[in-house]
Amino acid sequence: MPSELIHEFMRIDHLPHIWCPGCGNGVIMRDVAVAIQELMDDPEVKLNREKVVIVSGIGCSSRAAGYMDFNSIHTTHGRAIAFATGIKFAKPELEVIVLTGDGDCSAIGGNHLIHAARRNMGLTVVTFNNDIYGMTGGQYSPTTPAGDKATTAPYGSLDRPFDIAQLAAGAGATFTARGSVYHVRETIDLIKQGIRHKGFSLIDVYSVCPTYYGRKNHKGGPVEMLRWQKENMVPTARYYAMSEEQKAGKLLVGTLTHSEYPEYTDEYDKLVKRVQAEMAGR
Amino acid sequence: MSMAKKAVLMQGNEACVEGAIAAGMRFYAGYPITPSTEIAEQCALRLPQVGGKFIQMEDELASMAAVLGASAAGIKAMTATSGPGFSLKQENIGYGCMAEIPCVIVDVQRSGPSTGLPTSPSQGDYMQARWGTHGDHPVIALSPSSVLETYTLVIRAFNLSEKYRTPVIFLMDEIVGHMREGVTLPDPSDLIVNKRKASFHDGAYKRCYYVPEGQYVPAMKPFGAGERYNITGLAHDISGFPTNNNDQAGALYTRLMEKIDRNVDDIVRVQETMLDDADTAIVCFGGTARAVMSAVEEARAQGMKVGMFRPITVWPFPEGHLRARLPGLKRILVVEHNYGQMFLEVQRVVAGQTPVEFLGRLDGTVIPPADILEKLRRMEG
Ligand SMILES: Cc1ncc(C[n+]2csc(CCOP(=O)(O)OP(=O)(O)O)c2C)c(N)n1
Ligand code: SF4
């Protein structure tokens, strides 16, 4: 029911969106909306739409926040997670979801990413990871594979790329997962798990930017780029049934890490109660 | 909320925190830096006691962002910093101006540029407070000159920020921040705390930045209160959605400027001491006023007709007040702990009508009243 979804969850008076034909951003935006809708309808969760806050930074992908009919804030380049930290810490009852690009969250915003993960701040971060700076016209990002070309890497990038989910997990994120534009159902489920997870969660969704990354690196059009995801990214059940040989060069689409650690705003709440009890007892 | 009126010994930085809490500040995000650090430390101690939130962020960019996020969620929020940290906050201060998110940014000035003289007095951020973030934007900045005034004025900073939906810069300096004075704190309920207009004029998120004809400040609802709307730092229409339409962008910029320009009488406060019969005015702000007042008193004892003109609201500069004083004045001396920043504003306003001279210092020491007196004598010739 895509059209009903659009009427219910998108600000249709602000459509059409600014994205290029074949861009992966619209698919990921829809995945997030479907995940929210399913959690609203889930009697166990009953997610309250009015309590959902969508926070984004700057980039093609970050424009998604404005199209989505929720409390939404489109912030400054790299700072989405820091704004989101303020919102969540101020009002922990809010369900804060960050939509961010690979450059936005792992280059200019890398410091905020690792520290929010370290604190286990109860945010859900969805990265629109297209291996390139789309908005500024195709410069290399921290996830551009080494050797690949970009307008600022005309001879191929020398940088070793980040795996954003691994980076977040290393910094203390308690839920990390990988999704893709091709694997719609799996990605929706991962985003739902991320939202339900108490603590910092990050779903690194592999996107496609045919306009810059695809064209610069002869990856074909959107169809060829999605075919690459289909052939090289493998959902959980199938992935774990594969032999080590079969797994070589393939990427898991699914949960990468999942652990338990006290969530920051809960812990702060306890601290306040302790301090106030001590004061009352004095 | 009545408070026992007893005298307490307090540091300027501490008074800043107590005033902010009295004003309803319940969220602080910051990163430590001398000479503002005591503000963070005091917030860490005090905020949990009153059910507020304190967080030490990873840097100043994050601190400023978190403060804006908290304010959008409906909580009065503050950050404090000095020198290098004030530079780092600038991009997001501009975001606050553009998206109209109330908050208070304390800058306890230290000597610069760069790491400068971290523990020494300076007033080198006067122009940065006005022009630090890129682009045209209005600014409100207030500067206290005593511990007690720090307490009352920071409350006013919150009042103005809520009333005009804008970040307010609270421009302290090392002199006032680290000064200890015995103060009797007034009952905070006597210092009216303005609240933001809490509902949209016509109750529709599609017009969340709408203002009726002749008004300048849109209403603001916190996130989560049931009106889903968009906030952006891009030029936006009245629905808060990015626009490239020149008329809509022009209307936004005009309104942002006018909301301060048209309300200067409400925003501007000045201390004018012994000026009515004076032929010489000393213009100064913040901690420098201490030495200036001693010099004025000494000069008066020696028969010179000197008074002090001290902007308390340092931005917008109180140009109307100064202009009104000009007919009686033969000369003006501007005293600052920098190389002449407010001096430029004074020159602009005076526009050659009265001679204006400058006395400044930037070696990490405080200007002694004797230097001011000597300068006055030379000016009188
Ligand atoms: C402080 C700052 N530096 C640089 C820019 C310019 N800029 C805008 S978006 C962007 C990169 C966006 O890349 P990414 O985050 O990967 O998002 P995408 O556009 O690919 O979705 C840059 C460098 C900016 N807006 N602000
Ligand atoms: S430039 Fe790339 S990321 Fe940006 S909208 Fe076009 S395809 Fe999408």
Side-chain angles (χ1 to χ4, degrees):
Chain A
M1 310 171 284
S3 63
E4 270 177 45
L5 183 90
I6 285 177
H7 278 91
E8 182 60 22
F9 292 108
M10 300 298 154
R11 293 173 171 142
I12 44 171
D13 40 336
H14 293 303
L15 296 172
H17 55 63
I18 62 160
W19 297 317
C20 309
C23 175
N25 289 344
V27 177
I28 306 175
M29 176 168 80
R30 179 181 180 280
D31 292 350
V32 174
V34 175
I36 293 170
Q37 182 184 41
E38 292 183 2
L39 291 176
M40 284 166 59
D41 295 344
D42 183 339
E44 236 185 77
V45 184
K46 290 203 193 104
L47 180 61
N48 179 351
R49 175 181 188 169
E50 302 301 336
K51 299 291 173 198
V52 174
V53 181
I54 310 276
V55 186
S56 70
I58 296 289
C60 294
S61 42
S62 287
R63 285 301 192 98
Y67 300 128
M68 300 182 70
D69 190 5
F70 296 90
N71 303 288
S72 61
I73 177 164
H74 173 238
T75 67
T76 46
H77 191 31
R79 315 300 164 205
I81 292 174
F83 273 82
T85 294
I87 295 167
K88 181 71 187 179
F89 188 34
K91 292 268 174 76
E93 67 272 23
L94 297 177
E95 195 59 66
V96 183
I97 301 172
V98 178
L99 310 182
T100 174
D102 39 300
D104 197 59
C105 84
S106 76
I108 188 165
N111 204 25
H112 313 312
L113 169 67
I114 59 175
H115 287 280
R118 175 177 64 83
R119 293 182 189 107
N120 202 30
M121 189 62 71
L123 308 174
T124 305
V125 177
V126 180
T127 64
F128 293 47
N129 186 351
N130 59 8
D131 297 341
I132 202 90
Y133 287 176
M135 179 122 263
T136 39
Q139 300 77 28
Y140 67 99
S141 91
T143 59
T144 305
D148 277 4
K149 290 188 173 149
T151 58
T152 46
Y155 309 111
S157 165
L158 293 182
D159 287 27
R160 180 161 49 144
F162 268 147
D163 177 327
I164 297 177
Q166 219 175 53
L167 174 69
T174 42
F175 179 86
T176 64
R178 188 184 295 119
S180 94
V181 167
Y182 177 79
H183 298 91
V184 168
R185 189 61 245 174
E186 291 85 349
T187 302
I188 293 169
D189 287 337
L190 292 168
I191 295 170
K192 284 170 68 178
Q193 284 179 56
I195 295 173
R196 292 193 67 174
H197 175 74
K198 207 159 175 48
F200 187 91
S201 60
L202 180 136
I203 302 94
D204 186 19
V205 186
Y206 280 35
S207 188
V208 293
C209 170
T211 303
Y212 294 116
Y213 179 77
R215 200 154 44 96
K216 278 268 165 207
N217 292 291
H218 310 293
K219 300 284 183 191
V223 175
E224 289 72 24
M225 293 179 82
L226 287 182
R227 186 174 297 127
W228 184 92
Q229 292 190 342
K230 179 185 177 199
E231 289 167 0
N232 293 282
M233 301 182 74
V234 187
T236 313
R238 202 146 53 78
Y239 185 83
Y240 287 113
M242 287 181 357
S243 69
E244 287 309 310
E245 259 165 38
Q246 288 170 317
K247 278 183 192 166
K250 300 278 190 274
L251 289 165
L252 168 68
V253 169
T255 304
L256 300 171
T257 61
H258 190 183
S259 59
E260 295 299 327
Y261 188 82
E263 194 271 333
Y264 189 90
T265 62
D266 276 356
E267 290 305 289
Y268 190 87
D269 234 29
K270 288 184 206 156
L271 180 146
V272 166
K273 292 205 175 84
R274 176 159 57 81
V275 170
Q276 292 185 336
E278 279 168 17
M279 281 175 68
R282 239 188 263 144
Chain B
M1 222 203 4
S2 186
M3 203 167 161
K5 290 186 181 168
K6 61 172 196 276
V8 285
L9 188 67
M10 213 181 241
Q11 192 193 46
N13 282 345
E14 216 179 315
C16 174
V17 174
E18 292 305 323
I21 289 174
M25 184 272 291
R26 291 294 180 274
F27 187 100
Y28 180 95
Y31 190 82
I33 182 166
T34 306
S36 72
T37 305
E38 295 85 0
I39 295 177
E41 291 170 342
Q42 193 67 14
C43 282
L45 184 73
R46 292 281 287 121
L47 280 172
Q49 296 175 351
V50 296
K53 316 281 167 106
F54 169 89
I55 187 166
Q56 180 170 308
M57 295 298 285
E58 51 275 16
D59 58 29
E60 286 85 352
L61 301 119
S63 309
M64 193 61 227
V67 157
L68 293 169
S71 181
I75 299 200
K76 286 188 186 174
M78 177 172 95
T79 185
T81 190
S82 303
F86 193 45
S87 295
L88 286 182
K89 287 186 197 289
Q90 293 299 335
E91 185 193 7
N92 282 334
I93 292 176
Y95 184 91
C97 296
M98 189 65 159
E100 299 177 80
I101 303 179
C103 60
V104 172
I105 302 109
V106 182
D107 173 25
V108 187
Q109 297 167 91
R110 66 187 227 178
S111 179
S114 190
T115 314
L117 287 166
T119 55
S120 298
S122 161
Q123 298 182 311
D125 301 350
Y126 176 67
M127 282 295 173
Q128 191 185 16
R130 175 67 189 88
W131 300 109
T133 196
H134 57 282
D136 284 302
H137 58 282
V139 160
I140 298 176
L142 312 179
S143 185
S145 72
S146 70
V147 174
L148 180 61
E149 193 183 39
T150 300
Y151 180 87
T152 55
L153 197 59
V154 79
I155 296 177
R156 184 149 198 271
F158 277 96
N159 292 347
L160 291 173
S161 112
E162 296 288 323
K163 185 170 180 185
Y164 293 106
R165 267 192 81 168
T166 188
V168 169
I169 313 272
F170 196 61
L171 199 61
M172 295 176 65
D173 51 49
E174 196 276 340
I175 302 173
V176 174
H178 282 165
M179 172 189 294
R180 276 187 190 281
E181 284 182 319
V183 291
T184 307
L185 299 181
D187 188 332
S189 55
D190 295 342
L191 308 160
I192 305 142
V193 175
N194 293 305
K195 299 216 167 60
R196 48 186 92 151
K197 293 179 211 160
S199 67
F200 295 136
H201 288 290
D202 55 0
Y205 81 86
K206 286 180 185 177
R207 292 160 67 75
C208 60
Y209 281 92
Y210 164 80
V211 287
E213 186 71 31
Q215 290 188 34
Y216 301 94
V217 189
M220 185 173 187
K221 268 229 163 155
F223 276 171
E227 300 222 38
R228 306 181 296 267
Y229 67 103
N230 188 51
I231 301 178
T232 180
L234 283 166
H236 43 273
D237 59 20
I238 60 165
S239 75
F241 201 81
T243 180
N244 286 325
N245 177 304
N246 302 109
D247 292 336
Q248 288 172 344
L252 169 68
Y253 284 110
T254 306
R255 180 176 64 72
L256 288 179
M257 298 306 293
E258 286 187 342
K259 101 177 156 177
I260 305 302
D261 285 353
R262 300 269 172 129
N263 290 295
V264 281
D265 291 343
D266 183 41
I267 296 165
V268 164
R269 292 286 182 277
V270 184
Q271 181 192 350
E272 297 175 296
T273 303
M274 297 186 216
L275 276 177
D276 290 345
D277 67 337
D279 57 18
T280 305
I282 306 184
V283 179
C284 65
F285 70 100
T288 309
R290 318 288 291 206
V292 168
M293 260 329 285
S294 304
V296 166
E297 278 160 18
E298 183 57 33
R300 284 273 167 182
Q302 296 178 14
M304 297 159 133
K305 290 191 170 164
V306 183
M308 178 174 79
F309 182 93
R310 177 174 71 93
I312 297 169
T313 304
V314 293
W315 291 114
F317 182 77
E319 48 184 89
H321 288 79
L322 183 60
R323 219 170 265 130
R325 289 283 171 191
L326 290 182
L329 293 174
K330 291 203 184 102
R331 59 191 80 82
I332 294 171
L333 171 63
V334 183
V335 183
E336 296 174 81
H337 282 88
N338 57 38
Y339 273 129
Q341 297 194 11
M342 187 176 274
F343 178 55
L344 298 174
E345 275 300 288
V346 174
Q347 279 185 320
R348 179 180 69 77
V349 172
V350 172
Q353 251 180 280
T354 309
V356 184
E357 292 206 27
F358 177 70
L359 176 68
R361 179 173 287 213
L362 200 56
D363 58 2
T365 63
V366 179
I367 302 173
D371 287 14
I372 302 172
L373 265 177
E374 196 195 308
K375 177 82 181 172
L376 284 174
R377 269 191 225 105
R378 268 191 278 128
M379 284 172 72
E380 285 200 7

